[in-house]
Amino acid sequence: MWVYILKRFLVAIPMILIMALATFLLMGSTPGNYLDTIRMDPQVSEETIGYYQHLYKLDRPLLEQFFYWIKNLLRLEFGYSFHYNVPVTRIISARLLNTFILSFASFVLTWAVAIPLGIWAAVHRNQWIDRLIQLFSYIFLSLPSFFIAMILLYWASQTGVLPLGGMYGPDYDQLTLLGKIGDILTHLAIPTVALSIGSIAALQRIMRGNMLEALGQKYILTARAKGLPENKVVYHHALRNAINPLITLLGYEFSSLLSGAALIEIICSWPGLGSLMLTAVRSKDIYLVMTSMLMGGVLFIIGNLLADILLVKVDPRIRYD
Amino acid sequence: MINNNRHHSQFQLALQRFRGNKTAMACVFILGFLYFSAVFAEFLSPYSYKDEQRQYSYCPPTPVHFFDQGRLTWPYVYGLQLSFNEFYKREYVTDVNTKYRVKLFASGESYKLLGLIPTRVHLLGVESPGRIYLLGADSRGRDIFSRLIFGGRVSLSIGLIGVLISFTIGLLIGGAAGYYGGRVDNYLMRLCEMVIMFPGFYLLLALRSAVPDDFNSVQVYFAIILILSFIGWASLARIIRGMCLSLREREYVLAAKSLGVNDFHIITQHILPHTLSYSIFAVMLSIPGYILGESALSLIGLGIQDPFASWGNMLSDAMSIVRIKFAPWILWPAFFIFLTVICFNIIGNVLRDCLDPNLKGN
């Protein structure tokens, strides 16, 4: 098992590096860099620009710049952000945590709602409740998440129930620990719901399909024939087999969550990795973009790995050696 | 009738089943109508997408009146007068004294129909200087209805072209990986994983940052298509590869090989057609991704730029809650995105059931 995990990591490293190289070359091949923004300020002298150019090796060929970046990467130095003028790691670690909070909240909400809903729909197959759930899942699957976020924000502005975007209230620093958590949770509500609705619809459909398949199996017939209560048949025998294939989805789910979260972050002004990436891309803050990409890739690999490990725990038939 | 069924191919049978599904057919008609309107955008829209009238900024939808003092007349609209209320909020007061008749086949801005026939005829218009805003106006007083039709051109075509490109790449790479197996398969699949590994939106942003700022709108449009297809091909290639792994063991592939048919021909003519039924509904189900991708990019200001219209960049106005509050009609593009996406989703799902009836008997 551990060998397998190690192998996965080793395979992932060159892939990430190639991807990073491609991004670096692509970004570098277009005209202009962040220094052009500084150059527009007449107070900044030509020498300062020259100094920065030399400091960040911007006067060197692109490939050489990349290898400097890689070299520093090995020492766990991710470079400086031009825009914020602090090490990239300091900005990203805070943002990464925020994105993780949002993704995790949405993840929990999605699974907590979609699984029971899927089971419910499967058990009441083709009854009106099932039809209703399927109709709504069709609608929510097709509603763009940014539209849901807009509508929710608008609703919040009309009723004043929930805060409009951001992560902290104005009085956040004066709150007690419990109050702080509550404050973040209320700010979390709209982006989480906007992010989850589509995934709930999708996951619910998959769960329903799996459940129906499991309920049609022979062992369910046996279980019913020997007189087990329906509850036990559904939750003990069918559910366990229906949920297995979903675990593999978990890893992918996480990555799509991350990328979906980016857009919602921008709309709800949630201070996460996605909104950071947008400003970085706009201002050509190259190291910030690179590191954000890198973190995204790493998060995805970890998500996939966790899914694989979980799969072994749930289904003892699967082995990786 | 039963006899007729005999010489129907699998595909025709599937089409027959598809036609029997009323919801799916309704979706086909809606989409057909949307695409039709996109093609004849200049004719169907009263105004051009860049026809600005600043004095009508955020003008609410113009009601069309059919009755004049209780009598049925030719439809007309009232003139509007801009005024400010006591809070200095813009208000448009209908001026009951000025009436402008709605004109069918009115002459307006000149354009070339289908890019060929020069004409000035628009389906709908109103006597000047009156303006007709069927769905309201945006911040610069441009007609949202017209811009929706023009925006459909971008949003609807991006889905089609994007899917075409990414499916060609996906089919070829997936086919090659599955057919050759071994080392080729290994490298190609690592390549796929590389693309899949990065969260799509981050990749989108990174790639978008590589597009020079001085690109004009047409170039940006094609750049966006390329970026979206670059992200989209990998997941398809993986599935096609899985199918090809088993298909290449079939006898007819062996037969083709022993007859000396070259590899490219075997892949494209003998192997890939067998993945067709999967590809068809996969195409339908992946088009929404392109439409949403373009909308998302345009929404945050990285996509199609003003004055050109796309459903996404029209919505960027709605990023501000205040504007939604005072001019809720700027949300219309979202409805059209939703309509298009749900139609493609329904058609895709129904197609899947029709093409593969034993998949899940209902």
Side-chain angles (χ1 to χ4, degrees):
Chain A
M1 185 70 203
W2 290 109
V3 179
Y4 171 76
I5 293 174
L6 197 69
K7 234 194 222 164
R8 281 281 295 267
F9 259 110
L10 287 181
V11 171
I13 286 171
M15 276 162 47
I16 286 191
L17 285 186
I18 296 175
M19 205 64 207
L21 175 68
T23 322
F24 203 92
L25 291 182
L26 272 174
M27 277 195 74
S29 62
T30 57
N33 53 35
Y34 188 76
L35 293 185
D36 292 338
T37 322
I38 305 177
R39 197 171 277 140
M40 279 192 265
D41 186 351
Q43 284 187 329
V44 180
S45 69
E46 205 47 47
E47 282 129 53
T48 319
I49 304 234
Y51 168 72
Y52 277 123
Q53 227 157 24
H54 186 70
L55 185 69
Y56 292 116
K57 308 267 191 272
L58 288 176
D59 45 356
R60 317 292 300 180
L62 213 53
L63 218 55
E64 206 179 318
Q65 285 181 37
F66 180 70
F67 283 113
Y68 272 114
W69 185 69
I70 294 287
K71 202 180 89 186
N72 286 333
L73 208 61
L74 293 179
R75 294 184 296 190
L76 289 182
E77 279 179 29
F78 293 89
Y80 258 69
S81 159
F82 293 104
H83 187 68
Y84 297 91
N85 206 16
V86 284
V88 166
T89 34
R90 201 184 299 167
I91 310 168
I92 285 194
S93 53
R95 296 298 190 102
L96 200 60
L97 182 69
N98 294 346
T99 292
F100 186 76
I101 291 174
L102 178 57
S103 304
F104 186 72
S106 154
F107 184 76
V108 170
L109 184 68
T110 304
W111 284 67
V113 176
I115 301 293
L117 218 55
I119 299 170
W120 201 26
V123 172
H124 298 273
R125 180 189 183 180
N126 285 345
Q127 291 170 17
W128 66 270
I129 187 77
D130 177 33
R131 301 239 160 127
L132 199 70
I133 293 177
Q134 293 325 307
L135 178 71
F136 272 99
S137 81
Y138 248 124
I139 292 172
F140 285 131
L141 205 58
S142 310
L143 268 180
S145 61
F146 53 80
F147 181 56
I148 298 175
M150 282 173 180
I151 293 295
L152 285 175
L153 285 176
Y154 176 62
W155 168 76
S157 82
Q158 292 303 87
T159 56
V161 188
L162 288 168
L164 299 175
M167 187 172 172
Y168 310 106
D171 53 350
Y172 178 77
D173 287 327
Q174 281 94 50
L175 291 172
T176 56
L177 182 67
L178 219 61
K180 277 182 181 172
I181 295 174
D183 186 49
I184 290 184
L185 282 181
T186 50
H187 281 84
L188 200 57
I190 288 179
T192 309
V193 171
L195 195 54
S196 306
I197 281 183
S199 332
I200 290 176
L203 194 66
Q204 177 274 129
R205 285 168 63 112
I206 300 171
M207 186 62 207
R208 175 177 177 270
N210 285 345
M211 198 65 189
L212 283 180
E213 206 179 308
L215 280 173
Q217 296 291 334
K218 291 264 163 57
Y219 55 77
I220 297 294
L221 196 67
T222 314
R224 281 193 180 132
K226 72 181 181 188
L228 273 186
E230 189 62 21
N231 256 343
K232 207 154 189 191
V233 173
V234 172
Y235 294 104
H236 202 95
H237 291 265
L239 179 60
R240 286 192 144 197
N241 287 292
I243 216 160
N244 262 0
L246 283 183
I247 309 270
T248 30
L249 267 178
L250 212 131
Y252 285 103
E253 185 78 11
F254 201 74
S255 114
S256 60
L257 255 182
L258 267 180
S259 77
L263 188 60
I264 295 297
E265 278 169 13
I266 293 165
I267 289 170
C268 297
S269 43
W270 181 262
L273 205 56
S275 41
L276 179 74
M277 179 96 170
L278 178 67
T279 41
V281 161
R282 276 193 172 154
S283 59
K284 293 212 171 242
D285 202 342
I286 189 159
Y287 302 117
L288 204 51
V289 175
M290 297 294 295
T291 317
S292 304
M293 280 280 287
L294 210 64
M295 290 300 149
V298 170
L299 271 186
F300 178 63
I301 293 172
I302 293 175
N304 260 359
L305 257 182
L306 284 182
D308 282 348
I309 296 168
L310 208 64
L311 198 58
V312 177
K313 290 269 177 277
V314 178
D315 191 348
R317 285 171 300 184
I318 296 169
R319 287 185 192 287
Y320 289 121
D321 359 83
Chain B
M1 281 310 273
I2 299 160
N3 267 346
N4 268 350
N5 271 347
R6 258 195 181 163
H7 43 260
H8 279 181
S9 71
Q10 276 290 335
F11 196 69
Q12 281 167 321
L13 283 175
L15 214 61
Q16 243 173 32
R17 277 192 290 269
F18 185 82
R19 286 217 190 93
N21 191 315
K22 284 199 187 96
T23 328
M25 283 316 282
C27 290
V28 170
F29 280 116
I30 292 174
L31 282 183
F33 181 72
L34 286 176
Y35 275 96
F36 172 83
S37 72
V39 171
F40 294 98
E42 288 99 345
F43 172 67
L44 292 173
S45 60
Y47 304 106
S48 143
Y49 60 90
K50 53 185 175 191
D51 187 355
E52 288 182 16
Q53 296 288 328
R54 297 281 173 107
Q55 72 270 30
Y56 290 118
S57 170
Y58 292 123
C59 176
T62 332
V64 178
H65 300 269
F66 293 93
F67 291 96
D68 190 13
Q69 288 155 355
R71 278 189 309 125
L72 190 69
T73 59
W74 185 258
Y76 64 94
V77 297
Y78 284 121
L80 287 174
Q81 210 70 56
L82 175 64
S83 68
F84 294 90
N85 69 3
E86 70 264 39
F87 306 113
Y88 287 98
K89 195 194 145 210
R90 276 166 171 276
E91 264 180 359
Y92 290 95
V93 185
T94 42
D95 183 0
V96 202
N97 297 321
T98 52
K99 283 182 201 158
Y100 302 109
R101 277 151 57 90
V102 173
K103 292 191 288 188
L104 281 180
F105 301 106
S107 84
E109 208 164 308
S110 62
Y111 63 92
K112 280 189 177 142
L113 192 65
L114 296 171
L116 296 171
I117 314 154
T119 169
R120 299 174 63 89
V121 178
H122 292 252
L123 178 65
L124 210 67
V126 72
E127 286 172 331
S128 62
R131 296 276 287 184
I132 182 166
Y133 291 115
L134 286 176
L135 299 177
D138 69 358
S139 59
R140 299 188 190 176
R142 294 173 296 198
D143 180 25
I144 288 195
F145 178 69
S146 306
R147 278 174 71 75
L148 267 175
I149 299 179
F150 276 100
R153 266 192 182 167
V154 171
S155 300
L156 292 170
S157 64
I158 273 189
L160 286 192
I161 305 176
V163 126
L164 203 69
I165 297 175
S166 70
F167 266 68
T168 316
I169 305 174
L171 280 175
L172 285 180
I173 291 194
Y179 177 71
Y180 291 112
R183 187 170 287 176
V184 178
D185 179 32
N186 202 359
Y187 285 133
L188 286 178
M189 282 306 107
R190 291 296 90 74
L191 190 74
C192 281
E193 274 165 34
M194 224 150 52
V195 177
I196 295 177
M197 194 162 66
F198 285 92
F201 197 74
Y202 290 78
L203 197 57
L204 201 65
L205 284 183
L207 288 173
R208 180 62 179 82
S209 71
V211 176
D213 297 333
D214 53 353
F215 265 27
N216 65 33
S217 268
V218 179
Q219 285 169 317
V220 167
Y221 169 79
F222 283 109
I224 291 171
I225 292 180
L226 281 183
I227 292 171
L228 289 172
S229 346
F230 177 78
I231 298 173
W233 65 270
S235 47
L236 178 83
R238 267 184 21 159
I239 297 167
I240 295 294
R241 171 234 175 212
M243 294 172 128
C244 291
L245 275 180
S246 74
L247 285 172
R248 68 168 179 170
E249 308 293 340
R250 300 280 172 87
E251 278 87 358
Y252 55 80
V253 176
L254 189 67
K257 258 189 208 166
S258 41
L259 283 171
V261 182
N262 69 21
D263 288 348
F264 183 76
H265 196 84
I266 293 181
I267 293 174
T268 53
Q269 302 290 313
H270 298 290
I271 292 186
L272 288 184
H274 289 269
T275 63
L276 190 70
S277 62
Y278 172 80
S279 314
I280 286 177
F281 73 78
V283 161
M284 286 295 163
L285 290 178
S286 57
I287 288 178
Y290 294 83
I291 294 174
L292 290 176
E294 183 275 327
S295 312
L297 263 186
S298 299
L299 184 71
I300 57 177
L302 292 175
I304 308 293
Q305 306 290 327
D306 237 22
F308 295 95
S310 91
W311 291 344
N313 85 6
M314 289 173 74
L315 265 184
S316 60
D317 241 11
M319 294 270 273
S320 140
I321 297 160
V322 186
R323 288 194 208 123
I324 301 183
K325 186 172 177 179
F326 290 115
W329 48 88
I330 52 176
L331 285 175
W332 271 109
F335 172 75
F336 279 87
I337 296 174
F338 166 68
L339 193 67
T340 316
V341 170
I342 201 170
C343 283
F344 275 116
N345 277 342
I346 289 176
I347 293 175
N349 277 319
V350 172
L351 263 183
R352 174 169 52 195
D353 295 345
C354 292
L355 286 166
D356 197 352
N358 5 335
L359 195 71
K360 246 172 223 154
N362 217 355

